[in-house]
Amino acid sequence: MSAVTSIAGLLKVSAEKKLPLWKTVQLTDCAEQDMSEADSWEKMKNMLSVMREADQSYDSRRRSLSGLSGGDGGKMEDYVRSGRSISGPLVGEIIAAALRMGECNACMKRIVAAPTAGACGVLPAVIIPCGKAMGLPDERLIEALYAAAGVGQVIALRASISGAQSGCQAEIGAASAMAAAALTHMAGGTSQQIANASALALKSLLGLVCDPVGGLVEVPCVKRNAAGAVIALTAAEMSLAGIESRVPPDEVIDAMREVGEKMSPTLRETAEGGLADTETARKFRERDEAAIRHGPGLT
Amino acid sequence: MSIFDILGPVMVGPSSSHTAGAVRMGQMTRRLLGGEPESAEILLSGSFALTGEGHGTPRAILAGLMGMDPDDERIPQSFELAGEHGIKFSFGTVNLRNAHPNSALIRAKRDGRGVEVGASSPGGGRIRVFSLDGLPTSFSGEVPTLIVRCEDRPGHVSRVTGAVAAQGINMSKLQVERDTRGGTALMVIECDQRIPYKVKVAISAIEGIYNVTRLNPGEESK
Ligand code: SF4
């Protein structure tokens, strides 16, 4: 059983070699890519730095070329700071961080695709604020990124991580499963709990369609990052509490693939259905191309 | 597939196909031209034409033509930067029949020489060139690739491949296309090993060879 084609395989190899899940992911990839452990670690460390840089350079005044995105991360921050947040500062900050990263992507800033550009906000939104709140060293966050990547790789190989192929469940859904795995590792969960958390997250987003307004990676993508991040937190909490997914992770991933295959092509990134085919979306589409060209632009 | 295809690439948003892949198309054109263009005409097709503006596709292609990588934070300012560099550029749309929805035709000129590259970006930031100077072809540049434009005459294929083999390089794929008999021919040779400069020199010395481009992944070739 291979550690890259099934979660069960990943767990089996980890158990046999008595390695933490993240380490199995790293070693398997190093062997496959003929890369040293040190180089791989440096590369992963760089991913964390780029995520942080993007987060810190967020500018709430910046707008996307279409004018559809920007500013919401700032609104969320202000709200959390006001103390009125229902769920409190940590969850508030997770939501704000996801919006910030999604907007950075929409506004042509440098991001880490995780697993795609559209879903790039989910993973950093849980690991950065939670790492801070839990007082964890960066090493732990980097390990968590390996755990996330391992889960993402199995999803990519067994199903897909492309909205055009399987809908948004394969982008925000996969990102949420990856983030749940990362968070469970950070909290000291077992390999079983890490795998289980990813299944719980993915199950919650099964069936999510890809329906970007105007065909742009903005609406609903940016806000779905926030939802995906909070679902990851929910899944990690349940898994750490000892709650199990009745359907094991590999079967959930296979179900995701099947749902993707049954999904109408109009709901797979073609912008012909769902939110992309609403009255408002059509109005947006009809806007003169020139309006986009000479619109608010990148400020 | 590496885990860094899952966590990564590091790129400027918003879309791996419409932005990151578009930068790669520009870079590829720059390489086939042999340097920075003096002028460029960029024609977008399909989904690139429909949603390219909002995805920053024109800015991304131009950034690639200027040699920027997909993670370069100057990509959004490429219009202004191209202006400063004195690069003349224009955009339009074209209907490339039978091409992938995310496609573009890029015409670039430098030192009195021009290239026309037809390329598509199917996803994940990867690209595929499907036409070069009007001749059909298919290559991605993900493996070492040698592109030779020459006069169509007998013996050229064996002399060119001979020069490659003489350096101990194994060819994995050879494509030959020509416009008219005795006209211009295009050879695309994909190899298992990195292509050294010596090979380019040896091929360039053959009579009737117009132009040789080496594409070694991860290296900017001049
Ligand atoms: S709606 Fe489509 S484009 Fe947007 S994040 Fe989801 S899968 Fe990606």
Side-chain angles (χ1 to χ4, degrees), chain B residues 162-204:
Chain B
V164 176
Q167 297 296 330
I169 293 165
N170 197 37
M171 288 167 273
S172 57
K173 195 173 169 194
L174 169 69
Q175 305 170 53
V176 186
E177 286 287 343
R178 65 172 185 198
D179 47 8
T180 51
R181 196 170 187 162
T184 303
L186 169 68
M187 275 181 242
V188 175
I189 307 166
E190 293 184 333
C191 303
D192 291 336
Q193 292 88 18
R194 183 185 173 276
I195 302 159
Y197 185 61
K198 271 188 272 180
V199 171
K200 177 176 169 153
V201 175
I203 296 172
S204 302

Coordinates of all heavy atoms in Angstrom, one line a residue, chain B residues 162-204:
Chain B
G162 N 22.1 14.1 -35.5 CA 23.5 13.6 -35.3 C 24.3 14.5 -34.4 O 25.0 14.0 -33.5
A163 N 24.1 15.8 -34.5 CA 24.8 16.7 -33.6 C 24.3 16.5 -32.1 O 25.1 16.7 -31.2 CB 24.5 18.1 -34.0
V164 N 23.1 16.2 -32.0 CA 22.6 16.0 -30.6 C 23.2 14.7 -30.1 O 23.7 14.6 -28.9 CB 21.0 15.9 -30.6 CG1 20.5 15.6 -29.2 CG2 20.4 17.2 -31.1
A165 N 23.1 13.6 -30.9 CA 23.6 12.3 -30.4 C 25.1 12.3 -30.1 O 25.6 11.7 -29.2 CB 23.3 11.3 -31.5
A166 N 25.8 13.2 -30.9 CA 27.3 13.2 -30.7 C 27.7 13.7 -29.3 O 28.8 13.4 -28.9 CB 27.9 14.2 -31.8
Q167 N 26.7 14.4 -28.6 CA 27.0 14.8 -27.3 C 26.5 13.8 -26.2 O 26.5 14.1 -25.0 CB 26.4 16.2 -27.0 CG 26.9 17.3 -27.9 CD 28.4 17.6 -27.6 OE1 28.9 17.4 -26.5 NE2 29.1 18.0 -28.7
G168 N 26.1 12.7 -26.7 CA 25.6 11.6 -25.8 C 24.3 11.9 -25.2 O 23.9 11.4 -24.2
I169 N 23.5 12.7 -26.0 CA 22.2 13.0 -25.5 C 21.1 12.2 -26.1 O 21.1 12.0 -27.3 CB 21.9 14.5 -25.7 CG1 22.8 15.4 -24.8 CG2 20.4 14.9 -25.4 CD1 22.9 16.8 -25.2
N170 N 20.2 11.6 -25.3 CA 19.2 10.7 -25.8 C 18.0 11.5 -26.2 O 17.5 12.3 -25.4 CB 18.9 9.7 -24.7 CG 18.2 8.5 -25.3 OD1 18.4 8.1 -26.4 ND2 17.2 8.0 -24.5
M171 N 17.5 11.3 -27.4 CA 16.2 12.0 -27.8 C 15.0 11.2 -27.5 O 15.0 10.0 -27.7 CB 16.3 12.2 -29.3 CG 17.3 13.3 -29.7 SD 17.6 13.2 -31.5 CE 18.9 12.0 -31.6
S172 N 14.0 11.8 -26.8 CA 12.8 11.0 -26.5 C 11.7 11.2 -27.5 O 10.8 10.4 -27.6 CB 12.4 11.4 -25.1 OG 12.1 12.7 -25.0
K173 N 11.8 12.4 -28.2 CA 10.7 12.7 -29.2 C 11.2 13.6 -30.2 O 11.9 14.6 -29.9 CB 9.5 13.3 -28.4 CG 8.2 13.3 -29.2 CD 7.1 13.8 -28.3 CE 5.9 14.1 -29.1 NZ 4.9 14.9 -28.3
L174 N 10.9 13.3 -31.5 CA 11.3 14.2 -32.6 C 10.1 14.5 -33.4 O 9.3 13.7 -33.9 CB 12.3 13.5 -33.4 CG 12.7 14.1 -34.8 CD1 13.5 15.4 -34.6 CD2 13.5 13.1 -35.6
Q175 N 9.8 15.9 -33.6 CA 8.7 16.3 -34.5 C 9.3 17.1 -35.6 O 10.2 18.0 -35.3 CB 7.8 17.2 -33.7 CG 7.2 16.6 -32.4 CD 6.4 17.7 -31.7 OE1 5.6 18.4 -32.2 NE2 6.7 17.9 -30.4
V176 N 8.9 16.9 -36.8 CA 9.3 17.7 -37.9 C 8.1 18.2 -38.7 O 7.2 17.4 -39.0 CB 10.2 16.9 -38.9 CG1 10.8 17.8 -40.0 CG2 11.4 16.2 -38.2
E177 N 8.0 19.5 -38.9 CA 6.9 20.1 -39.7 C 7.6 21.1 -40.7 O 8.6 21.6 -40.5 CB 6.0 20.9 -38.8 CG 5.1 20.1 -37.9 CD 4.0 19.4 -38.6 OE1 3.7 19.8 -39.7 OE2 3.4 18.5 -38.0
R178 N 6.9 21.2 -41.8 CA 7.3 22.3 -42.8 C 6.2 22.9 -43.4 O 5.0 22.4 -43.4 CB 8.2 21.6 -43.8 CG 7.4 20.7 -44.7 CD 8.2 20.1 -45.8 NE 7.4 19.3 -46.7 CZ 7.8 18.5 -47.6 NH1 9.1 18.3 -47.7 NH2 6.9 17.8 -48.3
D179 N 6.4 24.2 -43.9 CA 5.2 24.9 -44.5 C 5.1 24.4 -46.0 O 4.0 23.8 -46.3 CB 5.4 26.4 -44.4 CG 6.7 26.9 -44.8 OD1 7.6 26.2 -45.3 OD2 7.0 28.1 -44.6
T180 N 6.1 24.6 -46.8 CA 6.0 24.0 -48.2 C 7.3 23.3 -48.5 O 8.3 23.5 -47.8 CB 5.9 25.2 -49.2 OG1 7.0 26.1 -48.9 CG2 4.6 25.9 -49.2
R181 N 7.3 22.4 -49.4 CA 8.4 21.7 -49.8 C 9.6 22.7 -50.2 O 9.4 23.6 -50.9 CB 8.1 20.9 -51.1 CG 9.1 19.8 -51.3 CD 8.5 18.9 -52.4 NE 9.3 17.8 -52.6 CZ 8.8 16.7 -53.2 NH1 7.6 16.6 -53.7 NH2 9.6 15.6 -53.4
G182 N 10.7 22.5 -49.5 CA 11.8 23.4 -49.8 C 11.6 24.8 -49.0 O 12.4 25.7 -49.2
G183 N 10.6 24.9 -48.3 CA 10.3 26.1 -47.5 C 11.0 26.1 -46.2 O 12.2 25.6 -46.0
T184 N 10.3 26.5 -45.1 CA 10.8 26.5 -43.8 C 10.4 25.3 -43.0 O 9.2 24.9 -43.1 CB 10.4 27.8 -43.0 OG1 10.8 28.9 -43.7 CG2 11.0 27.8 -41.6
A185 N 11.3 24.6 -42.3 CA 11.0 23.5 -41.5 C 11.2 23.8 -40.1 O 12.0 24.6 -39.7 CB 11.8 22.3 -42.0
L186 N 10.5 23.1 -39.2 CA 10.6 23.2 -37.8 C 10.8 21.9 -37.2 O 10.1 20.9 -37.4 CB 9.3 23.8 -37.2 CG 9.1 23.8 -35.7 CD1 10.0 24.8 -35.0 CD2 7.6 24.2 -35.4
M187 N 11.9 21.8 -36.4 CA 12.2 20.5 -35.7 C 12.1 20.8 -34.2 O 12.7 21.7 -33.7 CB 13.7 20.0 -36.0 CG 13.8 19.3 -37.3 SD 15.5 18.8 -37.5 CE 15.9 19.6 -39.0
V188 N 11.4 19.9 -33.6 CA 11.3 20.0 -32.1 C 11.8 18.7 -31.5 O 11.2 17.6 -31.8 CB 9.9 20.3 -31.6 CG1 9.8 20.3 -30.1 CG2 9.4 21.7 -32.2
I189 N 12.9 18.8 -30.8 CA 13.5 17.5 -30.3 C 13.5 17.6 -28.8 O 14.1 18.5 -28.1 CB 15.0 17.4 -30.8 CG1 15.0 17.6 -32.3 CG2 15.6 16.1 -30.3 CD1 16.4 17.8 -32.8
E190 N 12.8 16.6 -28.2 CA 12.7 16.5 -26.7 C 13.8 15.5 -26.3 O 13.9 14.5 -26.9 CB 11.3 16.2 -26.2 CG 10.3 17.3 -26.5 CD 8.9 17.1 -26.0 OE1 8.5 15.9 -25.8 OE2 8.2 18.1 -25.7
C191 N 14.5 15.8 -25.2 CA 15.6 15.0 -24.8 C 15.6 14.6 -23.4 O 14.8 15.2 -22.6 CB 16.9 15.8 -25.0 SG 17.2 16.4 -26.7
D192 N 16.3 13.6 -23.0 CA 16.3 13.0 -21.6 C 17.3 13.8 -20.8 O 17.2 13.8 -19.6 CB 16.7 11.6 -21.6 CG 15.6 10.7 -22.2 OD1 14.5 11.2 -22.2 OD2 15.9 9.6 -22.7
Q193 N 18.4 14.4 -21.4 CA 19.4 15.1 -20.6 C 19.4 16.6 -21.0 O 18.9 17.0 -22.0 CB 20.8 14.6 -20.9 CG 21.0 13.2 -20.4 CD 20.7 12.1 -21.5 OE1 20.5 12.4 -22.6 NE2 20.5 10.9 -21.0
R194 N 19.9 17.4 -20.1 CA 20.1 18.8 -20.3 C 20.9 19.0 -21.6 O 21.8 18.3 -21.9 CB 20.9 19.4 -19.1 CG 21.1 20.8 -19.2 CD 22.0 21.3 -18.1 NE 22.3 22.7 -18.4 CZ 23.2 23.2 -19.2 NH1 24.0 22.3 -19.8 NH2 23.4 24.5 -19.4
I195 N 20.5 20.0 -22.4 CA 21.1 20.3 -23.7 C 22.2 21.3 -23.5 O 21.9 22.5 -23.2 CB 20.1 20.7 -24.7 CG1 19.0 19.7 -24.9 CG2 20.7 21.0 -26.1 CD1 17.7 20.2 -25.4
P196 N 23.5 20.9 -23.7 CA 24.5 21.9 -23.5 C 24.6 22.9 -24.7 O 24.1 22.7 -25.8 CB 25.8 21.1 -23.4 CG 25.5 19.8 -24.1 CD 24.0 19.6 -24.1
Y197 N 25.3 24.0 -24.4 CA 25.5 25.1 -25.4 C 26.2 24.6 -26.6 O 25.9 25.0 -27.7 CB 26.3 26.2 -24.7 CG 26.4 27.5 -25.6 CD1 25.3 28.2 -26.0 CD2 27.7 27.9 -26.0 CE1 25.4 29.3 -26.8 CE2 27.8 29.0 -26.8 CZ 26.7 29.7 -27.2 OH 26.8 30.8 -28.0
K198 N 27.1 23.6 -26.4 CA 27.9 23.1 -27.6 C 26.9 22.5 -28.7 O 27.2 22.7 -29.8 CB 28.7 21.9 -27.0 CG 30.1 22.2 -26.6 CD 30.9 20.9 -26.3 CE 30.6 20.5 -24.9 NZ 31.3 19.3 -24.5
V199 N 25.8 21.9 -28.3 CA 24.9 21.4 -29.3 C 24.3 22.5 -30.1 O 24.2 22.4 -31.3 CB 23.8 20.6 -28.5 CG1 22.7 20.2 -29.5 CG2 24.3 19.4 -27.8
K200 N 24.0 23.6 -29.4 CA 23.4 24.8 -30.2 C 24.5 25.3 -31.2 O 24.2 25.6 -32.3 CB 23.1 25.9 -29.2 CG 22.6 27.1 -29.9 CD 22.1 28.2 -28.9 CE 21.9 29.5 -29.7 NZ 20.9 30.3 -29.1
V201 N 25.7 25.4 -30.7 CA 26.8 25.9 -31.6 C 27.0 24.9 -32.8 O 27.0 25.4 -34.0 CB 28.1 26.0 -30.8 CG1 29.3 26.4 -31.8 CG2 28.0 27.0 -29.7
A202 N 27.0 23.6 -32.5 CA 27.2 22.7 -33.6 C 26.1 22.7 -34.7 O 26.3 22.7 -35.9 CB 27.3 21.2 -33.0
I203 N 24.8 22.8 -34.2 CA 23.7 22.9 -35.1 C 23.7 24.2 -35.9 O 23.4 24.2 -37.1 CB 22.4 22.6 -34.4 CG1 22.4 21.2 -33.7 CG2 21.2 22.8 -35.3 CD1 21.2 20.9 -32.8
S204 N 24.0 25.3 -35.2 CA 23.9 26.6 -35.8 C 24.9 26.6 -37.0 O 24.7 27.4 -37.9 CB 24.3 27.7 -34.8 OG 23.4 27.6 -33.8

